[in-house]
C-alpha cells in the first residue's frame, strides 16, 4: 500500500482521537478504540485481523503493566496513608530547601531510574512528589516534571533498559562504552528537559485537577521513622539492582536465578507491598481491616487508566500491523543522511507513528544496521544513543506514557501536550545535539 496514504490515514486517526476526547467529549478509551478500528479498516486489514490485533495490543500492554501499576499504587497508598511520604518530603524539603526541590527530585529520579522501568519509577516516586507538593504548596509540575524527565531519559538511552540493550545487540556495540556515553548524555539532556523546563512550564500550566490515583491522606496513628520510610520506598529498587549486577559478577547459578527472580519488577513490588503492610501499617497501629480497605480504595482509580492504556496498546498494534512503520522506514532509507542523523530521524518517525520508544529504537536499529555495516568510522555507542534519542520524541495519544502522565498528574489532554509531549521532544533533541557534539571529537 502507498506509503503516503498510510501516513496520511495515521495522521487522521491521531486527529480523531484528539477530536473525540476534546470536541465530542468521549472517554479516551472510546476515542482510542474507534480510531483503532477505523484505522484498521482504512489500512485494508481484514476485519477479523483488526479484532485480533485489538485484543493482542490490549493484552500486550496490560500484560506487562497491570501488576506493576496495581502493586505500585498500593505501595504508594501505604506510603501516603502511613505518613511515610510526609516524612520523606520533609527530609527533602529541609535537606535541599524549597528552591532546590526540582533538582532534588531530578537526581532522585535519575538514580532510581537506572535499575527500573519508566512506569515502575513513576508509580514508586509519584506519592513522594505529591507529598512534597502538599508540604510546600508549590505547583505539582515544578516538582514532578524533573522526576519524569529523569525516568524518561534513562528509559530511552541508558542500559540495561530494554530498548538500549536491544540496539546494543543489533549494532554489536560495547555495553560498557554505551553506559558511559549514555550517562554523559543523559545528565545535561535531563537537566534541560527536567529542572529547567519545569521552572518555565510551571509558571504557565496548573494541573486542572488533583491526581486521583494517590491521595495524600494519613490514616496511621503515628508516623514511621524517616529511616523506615526510606527503606520501604527503596526496597523495590534494591531488589531490582540484583538483576543489573548478575551479568557482571561471577556467582553460582542458583544465586543468579534468585537475584533475577527477586529483581523482577512484579516480584520486587509484591515483596515491598507486604513489607509496607507491616512496617507502615500494622506497626503504626493500622488494623488489618483498614489495610484491606486502603488496598481496595487504591485500586479503584486505576480502572479508567488501565482501560485507556489498553486501548492505546490496541491503537499501537493496529498501527504496526497496517505497515506504517515500514512505510516510514522506506521513505527514510531513501534519504542521503549520515548514520547518526538517519538513526535519529528513523527512530523519531517510528516513535511518532507507533507510540512505543522500545519499538522505535529496535526497529530503527534493525533498519540502520545493514547500512552502517558497509561504512567505516561509525561510532557504534553513539549510534545506539542517537537511535535512543530519536525514540523519545513527540510522545502523543498512541503512547501509554502520555496517558499515564496525564492521569497521574491530573492534566487535561491539552496540558499533557504542553508538558509531557514538549518534555519528551526536548529530551530527544537535547540528547541528539549532545551526541553530535561528542561525535565531532571522538
Amino acid at each position: 500500500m502507498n506509503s503516503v496514504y498510510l501516513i496520511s490515514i495515521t495522521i487522521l486517526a491521531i486527529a480523531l482521537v484528539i477530536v473525540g476526547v476534546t470536541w465530542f467529549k468521549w472517554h479516551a478509551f472510546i476515542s482510542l478504540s474507534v480510531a483503532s478500528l477505523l484505522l484498521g479498516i482504512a489500512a485494508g486489514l481484514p476485519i477479523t485481523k483488526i479484532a485480533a490485533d485489538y485484543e493482542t495490543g490490549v493484552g500486550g500492554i496490560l500484560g506487562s503493566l497491570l501488576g506493576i501499576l496495581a502493586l505500585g499504587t498500593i505501595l504508594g497508598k501505604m506510603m501516603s496513608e502511613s505518613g511515610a511520604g510526609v516524612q520523606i518530603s520533609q527530609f527533602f524539603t529541609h535537606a535541599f530547601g524549597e528552591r532546590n526541590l526540582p533538582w532534588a527530585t531530578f537526581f532522585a529520579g535519575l538514580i532510581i531510574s537506572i535499575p527500573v522501568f519508566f512506569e515502575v519509577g513513576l508509580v514508586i516516586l509519584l506519592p513522594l512528589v505529591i507529598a512534597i507538593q502538599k508540604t510546600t504548596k508549590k505547583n505539582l509540575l515544578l516538582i514532578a516534571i524533573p522526576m519524569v524527565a529523569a525516568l524518561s531519559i534513562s528509559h530511552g538511552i541508558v542500559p540495561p533498559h530494554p530498548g538500549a540493550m536491544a540496539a546494543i545487540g543489533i549494532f554489536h556495540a560495547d555495553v560498557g562504552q554505551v553506559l558511559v556515553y549514555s550517562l554523559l548524555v543523559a545528565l545535561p539532556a535531563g537537566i534541560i528537559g527536567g529542572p529547567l523546563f519545569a521552572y518555565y512550564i510551571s509558571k504557565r500550566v496548573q494541573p486542572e485537577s488533583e491526581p486521583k490515583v494517590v491521595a495524600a491522606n494519613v490514616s496511621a496513628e503515628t508516623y514511621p521513622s524517616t529511616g523506615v520510610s526510606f527503606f520501604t520506598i527503596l526496597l523495590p529498587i534494591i531488589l531490582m539492582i540484583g538483576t543489573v549486577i548478575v551479568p557482571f559478577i561471577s556467582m553460582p547459578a542458583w544465586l543468579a536465578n534468585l537475584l533475577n527472580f527477586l529483581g523482577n519488577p512484579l516480584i520486587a513490588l509484591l515483596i515491598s507491598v507486604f513489607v509496607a503492610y507491616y512496617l507502615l501499617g500494622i506497626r503504626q497501629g493500622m488494623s488489618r481491616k483498614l489495610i484491606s480497605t486502603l488496598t481496595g480504595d487504591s485500586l479503584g482509580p486505576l480502572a479508567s487508566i488501565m482501560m485507556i492504556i489498553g486501548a492505546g496498546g490496541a491503537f499501537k498494534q493496529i498501527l504496526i500491523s497496517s505497515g506504517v512503520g515500514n512505510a516510514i522506514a522506506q521513505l527514510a532509507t531513501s534519504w542521503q543522511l549520515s548514520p547518526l542523523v538517519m538513526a535519529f530521524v528513523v527512530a523519531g518517525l517510528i516513535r511518532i507513528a507507533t507510540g512505543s520508544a522500545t519499538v522505535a529504537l529496535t526497529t530503527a536499529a534493525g533498519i540502520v544496521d545493514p547500512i552502517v555495516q558497509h561504512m567505516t568510522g561509525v561510532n557504534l555507542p553513539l549510534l545506539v544513543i542517537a537511535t535512543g534519542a530519536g525514540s523519545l520524541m513527540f510522545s502523543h495519544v498512541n503512547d501509554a506514557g502520555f496517558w499515564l502522565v496525564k492521569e497521574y498528574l491530573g492534566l487535561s489532554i491539552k496540558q499533557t501536550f504542553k508538558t509531557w509531549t514538549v518534555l519528551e521532544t526536548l529530551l530527544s533533541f537535547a540528547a541528539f545535539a549532545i551526541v553530535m557534539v561528542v561525535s565531532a571529537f571522538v
Side-chain angles (χ1 to χ4, degrees), residues 204-259:
R204 292 161 176 81
V205 175
Q206 178 70 40
E208 69 167 11
S209 61
E210 290 277 318
K212 299 180 182 66
V213 179
V214 181
N217 302 315
V218 179
S219 298
E221 296 173 2
T222 58
Y223 285 8
S225 68
T226 303
V228 167
S229 302
F230 269 107
F231 172 76
T232 308
I233 199 66
L234 292 176
L235 180 58
I237 313 299
I238 294 168
L239 292 172
M240 288 180 213
I241 287 174
T243 61
V244 178
I245 66 173
V246 164
F248 303 104
I249 298 177
S250 178
M251 64 181 70
W254 68 266
L255 181 57
N257 291 336
L258 179 62
L259 289 175

Side-chain angles (χ1 to χ4, degrees), residues 32 36 54 73 113 141 354:
L32 283 162
S36 300
Y54 185 95
T73 302
S113 67
L141 295 177
T354 66

Side-chain angles (χ1 to χ4, degrees), residues 302-314:
L302 271 182
S304 178
I305 296 174
M306 299 312 299
M307 296 297 288
I308 294 169
I309 290 172

